[in-house]
Amino acid sequence: MNTTGLTRLTTGEQLPFDAAAYAREDGSPDPPVLDVTYDYEQAARDLRDSAAEFQSRRDVFRWLPLLPVDAPGKVLPAGGTPLVSAPRLAQRYGLKTLLLKDESRNPTRCLKDRATAVGMTLAFTQGYTDVYCASAGNAAISLAGFAAHAGLTCHAFVPNIASCTRINWLRRYGAQVHVSSGNYDQAFTESEIAGAEHGWYSRNCALNPFLVEGKKTCAFEIVEALGGARVDWVISASGDGCTLGAIGKGFREMRAVGFSDELPRLVGVQAEAIQPLVQRYAGEQPGPEEAGQTDAHSIAVRRPRNALRLLNEVEACDGQMLAVNDEEIATAQRRLATRAGIVAEFTSAATLAALDRLAEEQSLEGQAAVLIVTGGRLDEES
Ligand SMILES: *Cc1c(COP(=O)(O)O)cnc(C)c1O
């Protein structure tokens, strides 16, 4: 492994690497989350070693020199998703290129599988038999699928608004489902209490520092697919902040190992009804906790647990945070299907609605943008 240690994002404190590290919540607004650091010179040499075994892989372990594991895990193959061009949509904005990173092509149809692949590898090597997470659906379904494949027991804590579609997916994979009486934030707290009590392995992405390491491979693949060519904008829906925070880290790491020169500007999108990250980036007080409802369930997070990671990354690349309403998201979801042939889940379609907003503010003429289509599961399916 090329890991050199862990940095606590709340304090900047440097800690030695520990494969069992975890950030238990301590009641402060931002949990004491940890970030894995690497020897980038060594990683750059390893990544250029064309004889290395990982070079022939197409999943997240293609990036082994920048992952916190010794060897690829025997897990479902996550990553290696296509970057689909959408010329009909690009034209409307005057963009030179508009690319859709289609994460619905992962084993359980969501970007979450990248994190699960790394988490399950660690759970396996550390001898766990049970894994858990809190989730509006996708993270739990991902964990349930990977646990089914590996023969581990999955405990999924879901909010009371979780759709039948999503609960059916959990049961299909044989997960133990705990439906909370409250929202995602309450399900999260319940999962942490049960996980600590029973000694299960956690797939709660902000608190387990190794999961964002899997998610960042999404950025690595974009850089590789474009041969390091310039991308102006990378847009993703943000709830806890882990996904786009990880993607930002991925782009910085590609620059650190010499695979690209510039950082794209990240745009984090939230639903207008629940937008604590947008408000915080603008220096405003988030609204009252109970405010607002949105159909973008995968980002309906009132108390984001990886806000620091995300906001640091957005700032580092001169990016933006913005909010769109559910009507705009619904229109965007239809346009992705009818003009790009991509069926995105409601939450993921917020990226195209965000592109509309950007285009209203400035000319995107001749630029290149990537939308992260984080998932493709529809809630009306059975
Ligand atoms: C989890 C999820 C997100 C947001 O990720 P965060 O890490 O919570 O910011 C976006 N889209 C989909 C489909 C998701 O499942």
Side-chain angles (χ1 to χ4, degrees):
M1 276 197 288
N2 294 321
T3 50
T4 53
L6 297 163
T7 304
R8 200 175 294 288
L9 290 183
T10 42
T11 59
E13 188 188 354
Q14 309 283 325
L15 300 163
F17 184 79
D18 169 8
Y22 196 68
R24 292 261 167 236
E25 295 201 86
D26 60 1
S28 40
D30 288 306
V33 296
L34 296 158
D35 183 52
V36 185
T37 55
Y38 297 85
D39 176 344
Y40 291 110
E41 284 180 21
Q42 186 57 47
R45 281 192 291 275
D46 292 349
L47 287 166
R48 286 184 170 78
D49 174 4
S50 55
E53 225 171 280
F54 59 78
Q55 297 285 6
S56 62
R57 297 186 71 103
R58 281 294 154 259
D59 66 354
V60 295
F61 297 109
R62 152 85 181 83
W63 305 99
L64 195 62
L66 286 171
L67 292 176
V69 295
D70 285 316
K74 290 187 172 54
V75 296
L76 287 172
T81 61
L83 196 54
V84 182
S85 93
R88 294 182 69 208
L89 286 173
Q91 205 176 20
R92 173 190 175 113
Y93 303 99
L95 285 164
K96 182 168 60 121
T97 32
L98 177 60
L99 300 164
L100 310 177
K101 183 65 171 160
D102 186 5
E103 292 294 306
S104 74
R105 311 269 197 111
N106 275 296
T108 79
R109 313 182 182 193
C110 185
L111 181 144
K112 297 284 196 289
D113 289 340
R114 295 178 185 272
T116 309
V118 171
M120 282 297 292
T121 300
L122 287 163
F124 240 165
T125 51
Q126 291 167 29
Y128 283 86
T129 56
D130 292 66
V131 291
Y132 75 97
C133 78
S135 161
N138 289 333
I141 292 166
S142 172
L143 187 61
F146 279 67
H149 173 263
L152 273 66
T153 304
C154 170
H155 304 270
F157 292 78
V158 301
N160 56 2
I161 48 109
S163 71
C164 295
T165 308
R166 277 159 213 257
I167 291 176
N168 286 344
W169 270 98
L170 289 169
R171 298 205 199 286
R172 193 170 283 144
Y173 286 130
Q176 305 279 318
V177 185
H178 309 257
V179 182
S180 171
S181 59
N183 60 19
Y184 169 72
D185 302 80
Q186 185 177 325
F188 197 103
T189 304
E190 290 167 5
S191 78
E192 282 300 295
I193 292 168
E197 187 183 323
H198 299 285
W200 300 330
Y201 191 81
S202 168
R203 195 226 166 277
N204 280 336
C205 193
L207 304 187
N208 179 337
F210 307 112
L211 298 179
V212 296
E213 300 305 300
K215 289 187 173 183
K216 74 186 181 187
T217 59
C218 180
F220 296 169
E221 290 177 10
I222 294 169
V223 169
E224 185 170 56
L226 297 176
R230 183 190 169 85
V231 178
D232 298 283
W233 303 97
V234 172
I235 309 179
S236 175
S238 295
D240 266 319
C242 309
T243 300
L244 191 56
I247 288 171
K249 179 177 186 181
F251 282 113
R252 281 191 301 105
E253 289 191 332
M254 283 292 97
R255 191 178 61 174
V257 297
F259 281 33
S260 67
D261 299 324
E262 285 170 282
L263 298 179
R265 296 173 72 181
L266 305 177
V267 179
V269 195
Q270 297 208 284
E272 238 167 51
I274 304 177
Q275 49 164 311
L277 293 167
V278 178
Q279 289 162 326
R280 196 160 148 182
Y281 197 60
E284 294 162 15
Q285 262 317 88
E289 284 226 347
E290 64 278 14
Q293 296 295 331
T294 172
D295 285 338
H297 297 303
S298 301
I299 50 171
V301 182
R302 291 167 173 83
R303 211 160 67 72
R305 289 175 175 76
N306 224 341
L308 279 183
R309 176 184 300 280
L310 173 67
L311 300 180
N312 289 344
E313 294 295 349
V314 172
E315 204 173 304
C317 65
D318 190 25
Q320 286 192 37
M321 293 297 302
L322 50 87
V324 293
N325 64 43
D326 279 24
E327 210 177 308
E328 293 170 294
I329 300 175
T331 306
Q333 190 183 30
R334 279 192 299 276
R335 280 172 48 223
L336 279 169
T338 58
R339 302 184 66 90
I342 293 280
V343 177
E345 80 163 68
F346 193 81
T347 295
S348 309
T351 53
L352 184 63
L355 190 61
D356 276 330
R357 287 290 179 87
L358 275 186
E360 280 166 21
E361 290 164 12
Q362 62 202 286
S363 164
L364 301 177
E365 199 63 43
Q367 299 191 358
V370 177
L371 309 184
I372 311 294
V373 180
T374 42
R377 189 174 288 106
L378 302 178
D379 281 309
E380 57 269 30
E381 279 170 357
S382 60

